[in-house]
Amino acid sequence: MKFSSLNKQYIAIIGDVKGSRELENRSDVQRMLKKVLEEINIKYDGDIASKFLLTLGDEFQGLLSNGTKVMEIISEIERELYPIKVRYGIGIGLITTDINKEMAIGADGPGYYRARNAIEYLKENEKKKQRNVADIRFEFKGDNQGSEKMINTILSLMTVIKEAWSDRQREIIWDMMKHQDSQVEAAKRLGIQQPAVQKSLSKGNYYSYKEALETIGTALEEIRRQDV
């Protein structure tokens, strides 16, 4: 199904598996990524303008009609693929071609240009071996530079928090993020006591991390209302 994208803003997402050429199980990772993307397409169908799919072997892309679920989708992909890491370029802007709901191939416009620029920016930073470089970068239209800088700065700070997690802290924090319920319920699922959950959440700065995610979501909603 194709539809016109004239004068409508979209969120273009390009994902790129880090160090994919060095992976010994590259074909297995590609199959796993394909399965995860298929699940994302089903779960977030109402937010997706063009379905996520693999494009260049170890790269994938998709198009969202709004920014409400951007970080939720990325977080879910991150959890399902771990320890495989992915860099994400996210561009907000017009799509100047018709859009095919069934596949994010063939669409073009400023939204995708910005997503590609964001990916290249991340790759360049990695070459400079900067520490705690975020794996996610947003790019907006020129008059939203303040919001862009704020979101990307928050993402860098979130990376600092995330990189300090122990394996146990990550397991507990991701369980809380996935299920969005109580510490008691998380403890039951993980077979541990509630105080152990509380301790890991505290040491892992879970609530600061969660608030940062929510702040990005709010900022994206405001940007959309301003019709970037």
Side-chain angles (χ1 to χ4, degrees):
M1 178 178 65
K2 293 184 178 181
F3 58 90
S4 174
S5 58
L6 185 63
N7 294 328
K8 181 174 174 59
Q9 305 291 330
Y10 290 89
I11 293 83
I13 300 177
I14 297 177
D16 181 44
V17 176
K18 299 178 71 171
S20 59
R21 295 181 181 178
E22 288 74 43
L23 293 174
E24 295 181 1
N25 59 337
R26 186 178 180 185
S27 59
D28 291 336
V29 171
Q30 289 175 338
R31 282 193 292 271
M32 181 167 57
L33 176 56
K34 182 179 179 181
K35 180 176 182 293
V36 171
L37 295 178
E38 289 173 349
E39 292 170 352
I40 291 292
N41 286 333
I42 294 171
K43 183 174 180 179
Y44 298 96
D45 180 70
D47 299 280
I48 292 174
S50 191
K51 291 181 179 179
F52 286 86
L53 81 165
L54 287 167
T55 54
L56 299 174
D58 301 306
E59 188 173 283
F60 61 90
Q61 65 185 50
L63 193 66
L64 302 182
S65 58
N66 62 78
T68 307
K69 302 291 186 180
V70 174
M71 296 305 299
E72 186 175 326
I73 288 171
I74 290 175
S75 295
E76 187 162 330
I77 295 173
E78 180 182 35
R79 292 194 301 269
E80 295 299 322
L81 290 183
Y82 186 81
I84 303 301
K85 293 187 176 182
V86 178
R87 61 177 71 87
Y88 300 88
I90 304 168
I92 300 179
L94 293 172
I95 299 300
T96 55
T97 58
D98 286 345
I99 295 171
N100 186 344
K101 168 73 174 182
E102 294 305 311
M103 61 179 65
I105 290 181
D108 200 9
Y112 273 119
Y113 304 155
R114 291 167 187 152
R116 177 60 61 188
N117 287 342
I119 285 283
E120 296 306 318
Y121 179 95
L122 292 175
K123 288 181 178 179
E124 285 302 312
N125 271 5
E126 290 166 16
K127 289 179 182 177
K128 297 174 185 176
K129 300 187 183 300
Q130 295 188 14
R131 295 186 63 188
N132 295 321
V133 175
D135 292 334
I136 309 167
R137 181 172 176 80
F138 282 80
E139 286 204 5
F140 309 141
K141 194 169 71 172
D143 54 5
N144 279 285
Q145 291 298 301
S147 297
E148 177 186 299
K149 184 175 181 179
M150 181 196 73
I151 288 176
N152 288 325
T153 298
I154 292 173
L155 287 168
S156 293
L157 295 174
M158 289 172 63
T159 300
V160 174
I161 293 175
K162 186 167 56 176
E163 292 298 317
W165 289 342
S166 67
D167 289 340
R168 190 54 161 166
Q169 287 168 354
R170 181 180 295 104
E171 179 185 20
I172 292 171
I173 288 169
W174 279 357
D175 181 88
M176 288 287 290
M177 290 176 62
K178 179 178 181 179
H179 296 282
Q180 296 293 314
D181 55 12
S182 70
Q183 293 181 25
V184 172
E185 293 302 318
K188 290 179 181 177
R189 284 190 296 271
L190 298 170
I192 58 179
Q193 298 297 313
Q194 182 273 331
V197 173
Q198 170 60 33
K199 183 177 180 180
S200 286
L201 295 180
S202 178
K203 287 185 174 294
N205 292 297
Y206 165 72
Y207 292 103
S208 294
Y209 188 86
K210 184 172 182 287
E211 185 176 0
L213 274 176
E214 292 169 352
T215 298
I216 291 175
T218 299
L220 288 173
E221 289 176 4
E222 292 177 353
I223 291 167
R224 295 284 294 159
R225 285 197 293 269
Q226 292 169 12
D227 195 27
V228 301

